[in-house]
């Protein structure tokens, strides 16, 4: 496994987002203490888990987005998506960004600028400047919060956390994903699991 890169770990922007993430992280950790009760956790295959990631990225709280309004420097900048999923933009004010793709959000902003007579023919582009972090805990050497990178795999996520401990069960993880209503147990079966921004991953102890 690769060494932990300096500066790779970071704090999520905003204390509110940190508290929300921490609640999810410790709630998931509690599942590992439930013993046999963990057998009641729904299961998902790697294919099922990867489908949501491959279908395209949607913006959510904790992301930082870059809005570019061409030829309008004062309307261009980076904006943090808040806990409620909204952003505060110049002239337009507060709009909901969560659940939108970069393309649909750009179209929404352009429409509001045009309909509000702020810009005659606005050309807008939106990109994710910084993804929300992911969390990994349990049987890894350095559990915690880490910066997400595009197309990240579970193997890469574990590497960021310093690798598995000798006690780790490398064949299954419990995954809490923001688009799922409940955590799910994912059996790896030698397949590559994709990580999504905001994921909380629990590596359990193997029982021999």
């Amino acid at each position: 496994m690769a060494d932990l890169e300096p500066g790779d770990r970071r704090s999520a922007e905003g204390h509110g987002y940190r508290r929300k993430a921490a609640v999810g992280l410790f709630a998931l950790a509690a599942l590992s203490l439930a013993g046999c009760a963990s057998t009641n956790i729904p299961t998902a295959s790697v294919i099922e888990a990867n489908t949501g990631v491959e279908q395209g990225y949607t913006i959510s709280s904790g992301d930082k987005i870059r809005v570019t309004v061409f030829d309008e420097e004062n309307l261009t900048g980076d904006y943090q998506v808040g806990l409620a999923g909204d952003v505060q933009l110049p002239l337009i004010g507060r709009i909901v960004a969560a659940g939108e793709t970069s393309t649909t959000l750009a179209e929404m902003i352009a429409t509001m600028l045009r309909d509000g007579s702020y810009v005659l023919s606005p050309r807008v582009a939106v990109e994710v400047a910084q993804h929300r972090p992911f969390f990994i805990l349990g049987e890894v050497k350095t559990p915690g919060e880490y910066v997400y990178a595009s197309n990240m795999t579970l193997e890469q996520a574990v590497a960021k956390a310093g690798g598995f401990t000798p006690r780790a069960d490398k064949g299954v993880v419990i995954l809490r994903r923001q688009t799922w209503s409940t955590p799910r147990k994912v059996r790896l079966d030698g397949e590559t699991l994709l990580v999504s921004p905001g994921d909380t991953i629990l590596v359990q102890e193997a029982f021999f």
Side-chain angles (χ1 to χ4, degrees), residues 45-59:
S45 68
V46 171
I47 293 175
E48 291 171 327
N50 286 349
T51 298
V53 179
E54 293 167 343
Q55 283 178 341
Y57 187 76
T58 55
I59 295 165

Side-chain angles (χ1 to χ4, degrees), residues 25 59 71 87 112 120 124 138-139 151 153 182 188 201 207:
L25 186 149
I59 295 165
D71 300 322
V87 291
M112 297 178 77
L120 183 60
V124 180
E139 295 300 327
N151 302 313
T153 65
T182 60
L188 303 175
I201 304 160
F207 295 96

Side-chain angles (χ1 to χ4, degrees), residues 31 41-42 175-184:
L31 292 173
I41 300 172
L175 178 63
R176 179 185 292 275
R177 182 156 285 171
Q178 292 182 328
T179 54
W180 293 350
S181 58
T182 60
R184 300 183 190 179

